[in-house]
Amino acid sequence: GAVVSQHPSRVICKSGTSVKIECRSLDFQATTMFWYRQFPKQSLMLMATSNEGSKATYEQGVEKDKFLINHASLTLSTLTVTSAHPEDSSFYICSARDVGGTDTQYFGPGTRLTVL
Amino acid sequence: QKEVEQNSGPLSVPEGAIASLNCTYSDRGSQSFFWYRQYSGKSPELIMFIYSNGDKEDGRFTAQLNKASQYVSLLIRDSQPSDSATYLCAVMEYGNKLVFGAGTILRVKS
């Protein structure tokens, strides 16, 4: 099946620092990847759509200068949380769209970010 | 913003029973519907997708879609304690973006 990996799985950082999260599709090419954020006991909220070779599309209310997205290849997208603050602490999950198969989205295992 | 509504639960069923999870959506033009399962602290995993009216079966799972009523459901037969999780209904909208419901917590009691 379609496998998506994320790294790191868990990160703790100090307020004001930047954190980079990688999302990789391991056995398929993904022209489109999606970044979600999930706070405790809430559902997933889409942050942005990452398109290979072009700028990401951000959802309303998501600061593009704070959440930098780069989709440099068909198998890798990165999300950088810049100048992280405690309110950015959350579960960040990426998904990749398998256009070669059933056109569904497969999720990575998620990255739990804690900002002290 | 399109809306996807689910009863938050928890829905409690005894082991071996049928669990019925329901979802309604607001956009009549939606074409693709997905059910994901999410265990606590983990990311969602795809259970099924359905595009056409009617039933779609995969093992113990059956997805049902009624576009006229804007309603999609998931039936889990022979429920097991390992099925205890949060079930997320998702609808695909323009741009292949998924809009998720808040999820229904299912508890299967042994």
Side-chain angles (χ1 to χ4, degrees):
Chain A
V3 179
V4 178
S5 69
Q6 270 184 254
H7 178 79
S9 59
R10 186 180 295 268
V11 57
I12 301 173
C13 68
K14 293 181 179 180
S15 184
T17 61
S18 294
V19 175
K20 179 185 283 188
I21 302 170
E22 292 187 349
C23 177
R24 293 181 185 273
S25 57
L26 298 185
D27 51 2
F28 65 99
Q29 292 184 330
T31 54
T32 305
M33 292 183 174
F34 301 87
W35 287 96
Y36 297 83
R37 180 168 53 181
Q38 186 176 36
F39 292 106
K41 300 190 184 302
Q42 295 186 23
S43 192
L44 282 77
M45 295 300 296
L46 180 65
M47 299 176 65
T49 302
S50 171
N51 298 298
E52 187 267 337
S54 63
K55 291 183 179 180
T57 304
Y58 290 82
E59 295 300 301
Q60 190 172 9
V62 178
E63 301 175 57
K64 61 181 180 181
D65 293 331
K66 181 171 182 62
F67 298 98
L68 302 179
I69 291 173
N70 183 277
H71 194 153
S73 76
L74 289 172
T75 59
L76 173 64
S77 176
T78 61
L79 167 69
T80 301
V81 183
T82 63
S83 187
H85 288 91
E87 58 265 29
D88 297 322
S89 299
S90 187
F91 192 39
Y92 292 85
I93 312 171
C94 73
S95 72
R97 180 170 165 246
D98 180 12
V99 296
T102 57
D103 202 25
T104 56
Q105 289 186 28
Y106 296 93
F107 284 84
T111 297
R112 188 161 302 281
L113 170 64
T114 302
V115 184
L116 303 176
Chain B
Q1 175 69 25
K2 310 299 189 294
E3 294 184 351
V4 179
E5 300 287 340
Q6 292 182 260
N7 187 320
S8 62
L11 172 66
S12 293
V13 300
E15 184 175 358
I18 296 175
S20 178
L21 304 161
N22 305 314
C23 172
T24 59
Y25 56 95
S26 63
D27 184 7
R28 185 170 291 277
S30 298
Q31 297 294 320
S32 304
F33 308 87
F34 303 82
W35 282 100
Y36 288 86
R37 175 173 62 193
Q38 187 176 26
Y39 292 109
S40 180
K42 304 295 185 181
S43 68
E45 57 179 317
L46 179 67
I47 299 175
M48 292 186 71
F49 59 87
I50 185 167
Y51 302 144
S52 304
N53 274 328
D55 296 358
K56 179 181 178 182
E57 186 175 319
D58 184 0
R60 295 188 295 115
F61 300 97
T62 299
Q64 300 174 318
L65 174 61
N66 184 326
K67 291 184 179 180
S69 300
Q70 295 174 236
Y71 176 94
V72 58
S73 65
L74 179 70
L75 301 178
I76 307 175
R77 290 182 297 280
D78 188 23
S79 296
Q80 301 297 310
S82 58
D83 294 326
S84 298
T86 298
Y87 288 80
L88 302 170
C89 173
V91 178
M92 185 170 286
E93 64 172 23
Y94 177 78
N96 297 300
K97 296 187 288 187
L98 290 178
V99 178
F100 284 87
T104 298
I105 298 171
L106 173 66
R107 293 180 182 159
V108 181
K109 299 180 179 179
S110 57

